[in-house]
Amino acid sequence: MIVRIAMTPLLKCYMPSAFFRSSASVASSSIPKGEGAVSMVQGASRGIGLEFVKQLLEKDRNGHVFATCRNPSQSAGLLDLKNRFPERLSISQLDVTVENTVKATAEFITERYGYLNLLINASGILSIPDVLQPETTLKKVQQSALMLAYEVNAVGPILVMKHMWPLLKIGGGAAAERDAAVVANLSARVGSIGDNGLGGWHSYRASKTALNQLTKTVSVEFARRKDPIVCLLLHPGTVDTYLSKQFQRNVPQGKLFTTEFSVQKLLHIINNAKLRDNGKFFAWDGQEIPW
């Protein structure tokens, strides 16, 4: 997902439109509060996020999904799912670099559903032509790239958690038959300091490490407050998406996953999450990753 950052003039072309909810996105009648599990997928326009929306709708016939992205009207995949699931899928515009859109989304979910049982933060950036590329040497590190990756990959998901927190506390895990509500932030193995034996990719690595620390810190607060929320960090593996396309050449045979396979594995982890898993960092296969 490509997003903009206000402090970088070069990225003005990515500025989002005003907060958007098309009549096609939310035309279905209001869902009564207390009816079925409610999941939110942030970063749902394509790739892993879109596949999460698809599988959540297909696997839970009573569940509702609230999907967000920067430009909903430009996501053919989301619009197709809306046609297939008009009563159970709501779509709204959200830009993680514009906190007002996050706040507005929370208000809309409060009005429409009243609670959340699952929050998936799936958006992220690795490269943008002429703006951001994974660094192969310290000589190529730029302040603008570091700040952009941090704002989108770390700050954005935490702001979403901040505004969805009251909804997650209300929802808990009852409607989804879990111990608690779940926040699943998509991280990456390269964000692990203990697993870093190759170096490089300074901006992306550091932003995912920051996401890990922020999520862990929030998980400690939730546990201290006894909020019924489990925070997970998930590494999806190397998945065949737009984000990884230009870096797939050196992926070992059998290690480039389809979005369908990766999301199946991640949903298994999410659906079996226990309170003891709060604040943990898991790979797609359920193995815990060192910090």
Side-chain angles (χ1 to χ4, degrees):
M1 172 178 284
I2 296 174
V3 300
R4 65 96 180 157
I5 179 171
M7 66 183 70
T8 310
L10 183 60
L11 299 181
K12 287 183 179 178
C13 59
Y14 302 123
M15 184 175 293
S17 59
F19 186 78
F20 165 84
R21 296 186 201 117
S22 72
S23 58
S25 296
V26 293
S28 60
S29 59
S30 181
I31 304 298
K33 295 182 180 180
E35 183 180 303
V38 179
S39 304
M40 173 181 169
V41 181
Q42 182 273 121
S45 62
R46 61 185 177 188
I48 295 174
L50 180 62
E51 184 65 25
F52 265 119
V53 175
K54 178 175 179 288
Q55 291 195 28
L56 286 167
L57 288 166
E58 291 177 345
K59 293 181 178 182
D60 183 358
R61 295 184 178 181
N62 295 315
H64 304 276
V65 178
F66 197 94
T68 73
C69 60
R70 285 188 63 251
N71 296 301
S73 63
Q74 295 180 18
S75 174
L78 272 183
L79 296 177
D80 177 65
L81 288 173
K82 181 63 180 176
N83 288 330
R84 290 177 57 195
F85 303 99
E87 299 299 322
R88 296 196 292 117
L89 174 61
S90 298
I91 304 171
S92 189
Q93 194 272 347
L94 184 152
D95 184 332
V96 294
T97 70
V98 183
E99 189 172 359
N100 283 341
T101 68
V102 182
K103 181 181 178 182
T105 298
E107 292 172 349
F108 186 46
I109 295 175
T110 300
E111 176 184 347
R112 185 171 178 78
Y113 300 111
Y115 62 93
L116 275 177
N117 306 108
L118 172 62
L119 167 62
I120 297 173
N121 279 305
S123 66
I125 56 169
L126 173 58
S127 66
I128 301 174
D130 301 320
V131 176
L132 173 66
Q133 288 294 323
E135 306 89 345
T136 55
T137 172
L138 179 60
K139 294 179 181 179
K140 295 185 177 181
V141 172
Q142 296 181 345
Q143 181 182 9
S144 60
L146 288 165
M147 297 301 291
L148 176 57
Y150 181 71
E151 184 178 32
V152 176
N153 294 343
V155 177
I158 299 306
L159 291 178
V160 176
M161 291 177 68
K162 167 187 164 183
H163 288 282
M164 303 306 156
W165 180 15
L167 290 159
L168 291 161
K169 284 198 294 185
I170 294 171
E177 299 183 352
R178 288 190 296 264
D179 287 354
V182 173
V183 176
N185 288 338
L186 292 198
S187 185
R189 187 180 292 275
V190 296
S192 166
I193 295 174
D195 192 63
N196 185 359
L198 296 176
W201 289 31
H202 304 65
S203 298
Y204 187 72
R205 280 186 189 275
S207 68
K208 290 299 186 179
T209 304
L211 173 65
N212 292 353
Q213 179 68 284
L214 288 165
T215 304
K216 175 65 177 179
T217 300
V218 172
S219 76
V220 172
E221 179 177 359
F222 287 173
R224 184 171 63 244
R225 292 175 178 272
K226 294 182 169 45
D227 290 342
I229 307 170
V230 172
C231 298
L232 303 176
L233 289 149
L234 301 177
H235 166 57
T238 303
V239 184
D240 186 12
T241 64
Y242 176 84
L243 183 143
S244 69
K245 189 68 67 177
Q246 62 179 304
F247 310 104
Q248 294 178 5
R249 183 176 58 182
N250 297 321
V251 177
Q253 186 174 4
K255 293 298 183 180
L256 180 62
F257 303 144
T258 64
T259 56
E260 181 180 11
F261 175 84
S262 178
V263 169
Q264 284 177 349
K265 293 293 186 179
L266 297 180
L267 279 177
H268 178 76
I269 296 171
I270 290 169
N271 290 332
N272 289 279
K274 307 297 182 184
L275 289 171
R276 62 176 178 269
D277 297 320
N278 186 34
K280 292 185 178 181
F281 183 14
F282 292 107
W284 60 272
D285 59 0
Q287 296 298 307
E288 201 166 347
I289 298 175
W291 297 112

